[in-house]
Amino acid sequence: MANSKIEISKELLRSRIDTVAKNWLRTDATDSFDAVLLVTGLVADDEVQADKTIAMHHWLFGFEFPETVVILQRGGKVIVWTSSKKVKYFQDFEGPDFRLVQRVTPASVAADASQFKEVMDLLRTGGGSNVVLGIPQKETPKGPFAQVVADVLPTLSGFTVEDCREGISRLLAKKDEQEVKVTKESCSFACEVMKKFSETMETIIDEERQVTHAKVCSEIEDILDNDADMNKICSKTGLQPSQLDISSTLLQTGKTFNLKPGAMPTDDQVAMTGAYVLSVSTRCREYAATVTRTMMVNPSTDQKEAYLLTLEVIQLVINRLKPGAMFKDVYREAKGKVQSARPDLVPRLVKSLGYLTGLELRDSLARLDEKSEREVEAGNIFVIAAGFESATMVAGQQPWAVWVAQTVLVPASGEAQVLTSACSSKLQHVMWELDDGDRDAGSGAVAAQGKPTLPVAATQPAAAAAPAVLPVAATQPAGAKRGPNSKKQPVPKAPPKAKAAKKQEAQPQRQSTRLSATTSSSQAPAPAVQGRARSTRGVTQQVKESMAEQVRLEEMQMQLRAQKLAAMRQRFEQQGSLSSCPPGRGAMAPKKLGDCKAYADPSKIPKPANCVQIDVAAEALLVPIKGALVPFHCRTIKNMARFTTDNFEYLRVNFFVPGQGKSSEDFPEGGADRLYVKELVFKSKNGDNFHSVRQSFVEVQKRLKFKDTQGEVNNAGGTKEVLKVIAGPPVIRDMNMRPTMGSGSRRSVGQLEAHANCLRFMVRGQTEKVELFYSQVKHAFFQPCGKGTLIVLMHFHLKEAVMIGKKKTFDVQFFTEVAALTEDLSTRRAGNAHDPDEILEEQREQELKERLNTVFHEFCKKVQAIPTCPLTFSIPEQDLSFPGVAHKGSVTMYPCNKALVALQEWPPFCLSLEDIDIVVFERAMLTTREFDMAFINKDYSQPPVRVTMVPTSSIDFIKSWLANMKMIWYSVTMNMNWQMVLKEIISDPQNFFENNGWEGWFGDVGGASSEEAAEGSDFVDEDSDADEDDDDGDDDFDGDDAEEESDAYEDDDEESGLDWDELEREAERSDRKRDRERGAEKASTKRQPPAKKTRR
């Protein structure tokens, strides 16, 4: 235990002691104990020695303290006997009701025995002549300390020892709000691990890997050591890796199934067909969660019915979990359900339908079986596990079992809540049916019944899976009739790596009839080989998973859109408008020209001079007119221009006038006959003064701009905090900062320190520093140097703008280069893959990457560990990245849990999703290679944020990511004029809501493809008939052209891509066709064009 990480919460301990005093440990509803003795021994990871004692430690203190005696008394008093190192953690609680006894040193058996008697004498003084002492019997803590207590306790007089495990079980069974919250987090982690488990099994079966059950379970438990997997899981769930643990994993396949909690995986090989029982138990801050699923490959009708009955039993149990219900009554009702539906399955029903869980993974005294007298209480959390055990099968049938488990919360009122519902248990998500042509009639196959195959569990979004590839058409004899549910399979295109796939198929030693998806349709289908035929399993699974995912996303979108419309109505009612600028983000209202004053009174104007001049201090242009200087404030000047004509120098001063950058309201009030000065032109033979005036005007403009910018930052409600320095803060040196503090391209290099309430960056060798208070930071990102990147960085997106140098910015970034961002090609040597110098250089660069990533990561963890720091660093998802154009160049976009970012280039792109109302996919058609995304701000007066040129192949997983973020998206086939759209919505919001919000704009076109949009268009050009009549008389195409077009369509249907010769011929045909079209246009211009009719 690290001293810096152990801190007992005073509020937690006080509330738990009060709970113990109020709800004293009971056995059969009778107060039976005067005190409870809890003894812990040495920590042992290989076995659980004292479940309830350790659970009480975590419940009371939040930690387990080894070799410690804790005595709880009926009145709420506590006695703790432990070593000197552990006593200091309890010193803040010491008092009359909380007594500490320090273990003598050096420790010995005799000293411990003597001191334990003294501790028990303290208990005897407040308990009378005979003290009823409760201890968790049948628990055997290990170690000399625990052994001393076990040996001395029976020798003490005046104590009656009884078992208190039942009382502890009842005390820990009722969860408070904080415990329920942590358990839900544990369930989220369990569901993510189960999805990974399912993906692993899918790969094993698909690749026919020979691996043992224990090996697979070990691979799943190794997720904790895989930073990439943990970062992905934590980004989805918002949890910290240090809080998570995997208690156990279980995989059972083949002929042996053990449906008992605590079963261990065996060293048997994973079977390729049959039933697969997968179970995962996880912990989050020591609170447990369990999820169990059964996957089936080629199940029989009997197996399917048993699985569906299992789901019905689980639902029945969940519906009956009401406060006051008896455990045995719930079990008997579930058993009656099985008896009425399938009497033959009653002997195979599991003997227990669940148990209570929490700080104990399984409470052995609270099992949901036929003999339990316990009652359901509000706040109980159950693991409901129903199933049918394996039985002796008839000849030719493989043994099978079904087991499904859910973690369920019993609230004070209402229906019980399934906390592991994120991992689907529906039949269509857990069953594989292989399209086997050689399956025996006795194998329980349902293919002969004409039922369509079902997909593998949809354990991930369709975007994250491999691109769906349609299967090769199965061979049939000529004249064979198709089944009623069979469909003709489309012929796939051959990918570039088809040769490798064909070579692999040609190997005779692989006894599999699985047809590769890369087989060309021009070849004869592969002959059937005896064995399992898996020609369509993988591809059918992918297609159906993709379809199921699309349906799921559409259903989710319908719900989210209804919620969004209600939220928009509420926002409109509260604000009275849909245009409201977020705090800290709005620009200060421009200063009116009528408010600009160069001089307070005429006496402040300088003495007249016979030349034009700029008063820099007063920010005014002084013009001599009739012997007096007339001042013009520089804010009224639009620009100045200097030019030479006929040996004379001219200076033209252009002013703002209504309609040219300003409105009439910006000018001082006057009569109806007021005049505006639009420009002044000065002429001189010497242009030196004009040059000085123009340069001074430019400097004044810069000063005014900086003043306005600084005023916006100051008026945005900036923080007034003061830096709170801590001793020995986390520091990282040799950092670069963007934006730079100086002008030009000079870099700002220095060190970054993390203090109690602020990050401070100090430039090396200078007094300049930048302070970023934690309260100013909206999002914090850590992006390690990965593939295709050359810098490791920390990025902070701010709630309000700050001034760095003379620049206003919402983004501050600290980074270090792993390699030079630019390279001088003139000094570069010719590359050689076997050059040892280049190999060493690559190795050094890779080592530097890893070292810098570790340094930055450790710094981020230290910052998060500061007690007063609320920041949580998000890591951009490398696997979900996609290219796009955000500013002016193409960058790589990285989705995060709260934002979409592109941080490698400067200026950065950081879009906070909490400021976005909806997302619109523009040009989203199957026929285009790229599409655009428009992010509509919640403030409709702000222009949308657009990301263009996104590959169409990325749209599926972008939709999945947005759905996980609870974001609304629509699809349109064109680019929108957002300025007009938002202006119309702001001008008439009532009409916007009456038309169902954004559904009135995009609801009907969200899922239409380009072809459907073209066929279903309501627009008809009335000139089309006339044009067709004119074209009939002067046809520019002959029969050869029709043949060429026919050939082109046939080429599109070919299996493989076009070679260079075919591409050349295609280009020639395209050129000839374009020349003919140009000739037709010239001919049509000579004729009188028909009168155009109005389009409707």
Side-chain angles (χ1 to χ4, degrees):
M1 296 183 296
N3 296 346
S4 60
K5 295 184 179 180
I6 297 180
E7 183 178 355
I8 301 175
S9 172
K10 294 182 180 180
E11 295 79 6
L12 175 67
L13 181 58
R14 189 69 264 167
S15 65
R16 295 293 161 82
I17 293 177
D18 292 342
T19 301
V20 172
K22 183 178 180 180
N23 304 306
W24 184 240
L25 282 72
R26 301 169 181 269
T27 300
D28 296 331
T30 303
D31 296 340
S32 56
F33 310 114
D34 296 315
V36 173
L37 176 66
L38 304 174
V39 184
T40 56
L42 297 174
V43 177
D45 296 332
D46 56 339
E47 58 179 342
V48 178
Q49 302 168 352
D51 287 343
K52 287 182 168 48
T53 300
I54 295 175
M56 285 295 294
H57 269 246
H58 286 287
W59 188 72
L60 288 170
F61 313 123
F63 301 93
E64 173 193 353
F65 291 92
E67 294 193 323
T68 299
V69 168
V70 177
I71 301 176
L72 304 176
Q73 296 179 265
R74 182 192 296 271
K77 296 183 178 181
V78 181
I79 301 175
V80 176
W81 174 37
T82 187
S83 64
S84 58
K85 291 184 179 180
K86 294 188 281 291
V87 160
K88 61 183 179 181
Y89 299 119
F90 301 94
Q91 289 177 347
D92 294 341
F93 311 100
E94 190 173 9
D97 295 338
F98 198 102
R99 303 192 59 177
L100 292 178
V101 180
Q102 183 173 323
R103 187 180 177 188
V104 297
T105 54
S108 64
V109 174
D112 289 343
S114 175
Q115 195 172 20
F116 178 61
K117 294 178 181 179
E118 297 176 1
V119 172
M120 298 304 290
D121 288 339
L122 296 175
L123 179 61
R124 195 197 312 271
T125 57
S129 58
N130 185 38
V131 178
V132 179
L133 185 66
I135 64 171
Q137 295 181 352
K138 297 184 180 181
E139 292 188 354
T140 56
K142 303 296 183 182
F145 177 81
Q147 190 62 42
V148 168
V149 175
D151 294 340
V152 175
L153 183 60
T155 64
L156 300 178
S157 61
F159 290 95
T160 301
V161 178
E162 295 186 3
D163 187 9
C164 68
R165 291 183 302 146
E166 179 72 21
I168 294 176
S169 173
R170 294 179 182 274
L171 178 68
L172 299 181
K174 299 177 66 174
K175 307 294 189 298
D176 57 26
E177 293 182 2
Q178 180 63 24
E179 292 179 288
V180 171
K181 178 182 177 182
V182 178
T183 304
K184 289 181 178 180
E185 294 174 347
S186 183
C187 291
S188 299
F189 180 52
C191 290
E192 294 298 327
V193 176
M194 176 55 73
K195 292 176 182 178
K196 184 68 176 178
F197 204 165
S198 301
E199 294 172 10
T200 302
M201 290 305 304
E202 174 187 344
T203 303
I204 291 174
I205 299 172
D206 187 56
E207 298 177 356
E208 299 182 353
R209 284 174 50 192
Q210 298 298 317
V211 62
T212 65
H213 299 156
K215 177 64 175 177
V216 176
C217 292
S218 177
E219 292 178 1
I220 299 303
E221 293 173 2
D222 288 342
I223 292 176
L224 294 173
D225 300 325
N226 190 321
D227 292 340
D229 289 338
M230 289 302 296
N231 290 335
K232 184 181 295 186
I233 291 175
C234 291
S235 65
K236 293 181 180 179
T237 59
L239 305 176
Q240 297 297 325
S242 59
Q243 301 173 346
L244 306 176
D245 190 18
I246 299 178
S247 299
S248 64
T249 55
L250 176 64
L251 172 62
Q252 299 184 71
T253 68
K255 300 181 179 180
T256 305
F257 295 90
N258 181 9
L259 305 189
K260 293 182 179 179
M264 301 298 293
T266 66
D267 291 329
D268 297 338
Q269 294 286 332
V270 175
M272 292 297 108
T273 57
Y276 299 77
V277 175
L278 287 66
S279 183
V280 171
S281 296
T282 61
R283 288 185 182 270
C284 177
R285 287 184 275 177
E286 297 304 322
Y287 283 85
T290 299
V291 57
T292 303
R293 296 292 182 263
T294 298
M295 302 168 61
M296 295 176 288
V297 176
N298 293 338
S300 63
T301 304
D302 195 35
Q303 290 173 283
K304 293 181 182 179
E305 293 178 354
Y307 185 87
L308 294 175
L309 182 58
T310 301
L311 298 184
E312 294 178 6
V313 169
I314 289 179
Q315 189 58 47
L316 177 89
V317 172
I318 293 174
N319 294 338
R320 297 299 182 270
L321 290 180
K322 305 285 186 180
M326 299 289 291
F327 281 22
K328 61 181 182 181
D329 294 340
V330 175
Y331 183 89
R332 289 171 181 171
E333 189 169 352
K335 186 176 180 180
K337 171 71 175 179
V338 179
Q339 179 69 40
S340 61
R342 288 288 301 274
D344 57 309
L345 291 179
V346 173
R348 299 176 59 180
L349 180 66
V350 292
K351 305 305 179 184
S352 171
L353 289 177
Y355 46 83
L356 287 176
T357 187
L359 288 169
E360 284 188 275
L361 181 61
R362 291 178 295 275
D363 190 345
S364 59
L365 301 180
R367 298 175 59 190
L368 198 63
D369 55 26
E370 201 168 7
K371 299 179 181 180
S372 179
E373 299 291 336
R374 288 280 290 268
E375 291 185 0
V376 179
E377 298 177 287
N380 286 167
I381 296 182
F382 286 87
V383 173
I384 304 301
F388 299 99
E389 297 177 345
S390 177
T392 304
M393 299 290 105
V394 298
Q397 288 188 350
Q398 185 177 357
W400 56 270
V402 175
W403 203 21
V404 180
Q406 304 274 31
T407 303
V408 180
L409 167 67
V410 180
S413 60
E415 299 293 332
Q417 303 174 13
V418 181
L419 305 182
T420 51
S421 58
C423 189
S424 176
S425 59
K426 294 182 179 180
L427 179 62
Q428 62 267 30
H429 292 160
V430 299
M431 183 176 64
W432 297 342
E433 286 194 347
L434 308 185
D435 193 6
D436 295 352
D438 298 330
R439 288 166 56 181
D440 298 332
S443 62
V446 294
Q449 302 175 12
K451 296 183 179 180
T453 59
L454 296 175
V456 177
T459 58
Q460 59 182 1
V469 183
L470 296 177
V472 179
T475 58
Q476 289 186 347
K481 296 182 179 180
R482 296 182 179 271
N485 295 308
S486 62
K487 295 182 179 180
K488 183 178 180 180
Q489 301 290 350
V491 180
K493 294 280 186 178
K497 297 183 179 180
K499 294 183 179 179
K502 295 174 185 176
K503 181 178 180 181
Q504 188 174 9
E505 286 181 0
Q507 296 177 355
Q509 63 271 20
R510 184 167 180 83
Q511 298 297 323
S512 174
T513 60
R514 178 170 47 189
L515 300 179
S516 172
T518 59
T519 306
S520 174
S521 64
S522 60
Q523 297 176 345
V529 182
Q530 293 184 359
R532 293 182 302 273
R534 303 186 180 187
S535 58
T536 62
R537 179 173 61 84
V539 290
T540 303
Q541 166 203 338
Q542 293 174 359
V543 172
K544 291 189 175 182
E545 279 185 2
S546 178
M547 296 173 60
E549 179 69 11
Q550 292 178 9
V551 172
R552 185 186 71 85
L553 292 178
E554 290 294 340
E555 293 176 352
M556 182 184 296
Q557 283 295 303
M558 296 304 295
Q559 299 175 1
L560 292 176
R561 290 170 184 175
Q563 298 172 4
K564 173 63 68 174
L565 183 60
M568 290 172 61
R569 289 181 185 273
Q570 183 179 3
R571 190 169 77 235
F572 175 73
E573 292 174 357
Q574 294 175 352
Q575 300 176 356
S577 172
L578 291 174
S579 58
S580 58
C581 197
R585 293 277 167 172
M588 188 173 60
K591 196 171 183 179
K592 292 186 177 182
L593 299 182
D595 300 332
C596 299
K597 292 184 179 181
Y599 302 99
D601 55 78
S603 62
K604 302 294 184 180
I605 301 177
K607 294 181 179 180
N610 193 23
C611 65
V612 181
Q613 57 182 314
I614 292 284
D615 188 348
V616 177
E619 301 170 352
L621 171 68
L622 301 177
V623 179
I625 302 177
K626 294 184 179 182
L629 289 180
V630 179
F632 294 87
H633 199 282
C634 288
R635 289 187 182 273
T636 64
I637 301 175
K638 186 176 182 181
N639 54 50
M640 287 186 182
R642 179 182 169 217
F643 55 94
T644 303
T645 304
D646 297 334
N647 296 326
F648 282 95
E649 297 288 339
Y650 292 87
L651 178 66
R652 175 181 294 164
V653 181
N654 297 317
F655 294 91
F656 287 109
V657 295
Q660 295 185 5
K662 298 291 181 179
S663 64
S664 58
E665 298 176 355
D666 294 324
F667 292 86
E669 296 182 1
D673 56 347
R674 61 181 175 179
L675 300 176
Y676 297 94
V677 178
K678 184 174 182 180
E679 67 177 32
L680 292 175
V681 179
F682 303 94
K683 176 181 177 182
S684 175
K685 289 186 177 181
N686 187 359
D688 294 340
N689 184 49
F690 290 167
H691 177 74
S692 175
V693 169
R694 191 172 183 276
Q695 289 298 111
S696 299
F697 172 72
V698 172
E699 292 300 325
V700 172
Q701 272 190 324
K702 292 181 179 178
R703 180 189 297 183
L704 292 173
K705 184 177 180 181
F706 176 73
K707 186 185 298 185
D708 292 343
T709 302
Q710 197 169 29
E712 290 177 11
V713 174
N714 295 335
N715 293 336
T719 179
K720 305 299 181 182
E721 295 185 60
V722 179
L723 173 64
K724 298 179 182 179
V725 181
I726 60 176
V731 179
I732 185 169
R733 296 178 175 84
D734 298 328
M735 298 278 288
N736 296 282
M737 185 183 72
R738 294 192 290 201
T740 58
M741 299 182 68
S743 59
S745 60
R746 182 171 65 89
R747 292 191 175 186
S748 299
V749 182
Q751 69 178 24
L752 182 65
E753 300 176 351
H755 292 279
N757 65 335
C758 175
L759 289 166
R760 181 170 64 181
F761 178 77
M762 295 183 293
V763 181
R764 182 193 304 165
Q766 300 180 20
T767 59
E768 295 176 308
K769 61 183 180 182
V770 174
E771 294 178 350
L772 294 179
F773 292 92
Y774 299 145
S775 58
Q776 293 177 297
V777 178
K778 189 173 187 178
H779 300 298
F781 303 96
F782 160 61
Q783 185 169 9
C785 184
K787 184 178 180 181
T789 59
L790 295 176
I791 62 174
V792 52
L793 61 88
M794 287 179 292
H795 188 92
F796 300 93
H797 187 64
L798 308 180
K799 301 176 184 176
E800 55 196 32
V802 296
M803 294 295 297
I804 296 183
K806 296 183 179 180
K807 303 174 184 176
K808 181 184 74 170
T809 182
F810 284 95
D811 295 275
V812 181
Q813 186 178 112
F814 304 98
F815 69 96
T816 295
E817 294 182 359
V818 177
L821 299 179
T822 60
E823 184 178 0
D824 188 357
L825 298 179
S826 63
T827 61
R828 182 179 180 183
R829 298 184 303 168
N832 186 354
H834 304 286
D835 188 353
D837 293 336
E838 291 190 5
I839 295 175
L840 290 175
E841 184 178 355
E842 291 177 359
Q843 292 177 352
R844 285 193 294 267
E845 183 178 318
Q846 183 62 31
E847 292 173 358
L848 181 61
K849 278 186 180 182
E850 296 175 356
R851 183 170 61 84
L852 289 177
N853 288 341
T854 302
V855 170
F856 273 66
H857 191 205
E858 291 298 326
F859 179 80
C860 294
K861 291 196 292 186
K862 291 177 181 179
V863 173
Q864 293 180 155
I866 297 176
T868 56
C869 176
L871 299 184
T872 300
F873 286 86
S874 300
I875 300 178
E877 291 287 349
Q878 299 283 344
D879 298 337
L880 301 181
S881 62
F882 60 90
V885 178
H887 297 297
K888 293 183 179 180
S890 179
V891 294
T892 302
M893 300 284 177
Y894 295 93
C896 299
N897 55 351
K898 293 182 180 179
L900 177 66
V901 299
L903 307 176
Q904 292 288 330
E905 303 293 336
W906 197 263
F909 177 83
C910 183
L911 180 65
S912 178
L913 295 184
E914 64 184 42
D915 297 333
I916 301 303
D917 220 9
I918 66 168
V919 182
V920 179
F921 299 106
E922 300 176 326
R923 301 190 300 116
M925 298 182 291
L926 299 177
T927 56
T928 58
R929 295 183 179 181
E930 294 94 7
F931 67 96
D932 304 331
M933 289 192 295
F935 296 87
I936 312 303
N937 291 282
K938 291 182 178 179
D939 177 15
Y940 285 8
S941 64
Q942 300 293 322
V945 180
R946 301 188 75 247
V947 177
T948 61
M949 304 299 290
V950 181
T952 305
S953 58
S954 305
I955 193 171
D956 288 336
F957 71 77
I958 292 177
K959 288 181 177 179
S960 298
W961 168 65
L962 291 174
N964 291 334
M965 298 296 105
K966 308 299 182 184
M967 293 295 296
I968 309 298
W969 49 262
Y970 292 93
S971 297
V972 294
T973 58
M974 58 184 177
N975 289 107
M976 302 293 295
N977 186 347
W978 289 109
Q979 182 179 2
M980 300 299 295
V981 171
L982 296 178
K983 184 177 180 181
E984 180 178 342
I985 293 175
I986 294 175
S987 63
D988 192 359
Q990 292 294 347
N991 184 46
F992 175 69
F993 289 122
E994 290 175 1
N995 292 329
N996 207 16
W998 290 108
E999 286 289 319
W1001 285 87
F1002 307 119
D1004 296 334
V1005 298
S1009 63
S1010 59
E1011 292 83 354
E1012 293 171 348
E1015 293 175 2
S1017 175
D1018 294 332
F1019 171 74
V1020 178
D1021 189 354
E1022 297 181 1
D1023 294 340
S1024 59
D1025 296 337
D1027 294 340
E1028 290 177 1
D1029 294 339
D1030 292 340
D1031 292 338
D1032 290 341
D1034 188 11
D1035 191 0
D1036 293 328
F1037 298 95
D1038 53 14
D1040 296 336
D1041 298 328
E1043 293 178 1
E1044 289 175 359
E1045 291 183 2
S1046 177
D1047 294 338
Y1049 283 112
E1050 292 176 358
D1051 291 341
D1052 290 340
D1053 294 335
E1054 286 182 0
E1055 181 66 22
S1056 60
L1058 302 177
D1059 58 18
W1060 286 109
D1061 294 335
E1062 292 172 336
L1063 290 173
E1064 288 289 341
R1065 290 194 294 270
E1066 182 67 20
E1068 291 176 1
R1069 288 195 294 266
S1070 179
D1071 292 340
R1072 290 197 300 268
K1073 182 178 179 181
R1074 184 171 61 252
D1075 292 339
R1076 286 193 296 269
E1077 290 175 349
R1078 290 176 178 175
E1081 291 176 359
K1082 292 180 180 179
S1084 62
T1085 56
K1086 297 179 181 180
R1087 300 191 301 266
Q1088 182 68 22
K1092 293 188 177 180
K1093 300 180 181 180
T1094 304
R1095 295 185 177 183
R1096 297 178 182 176

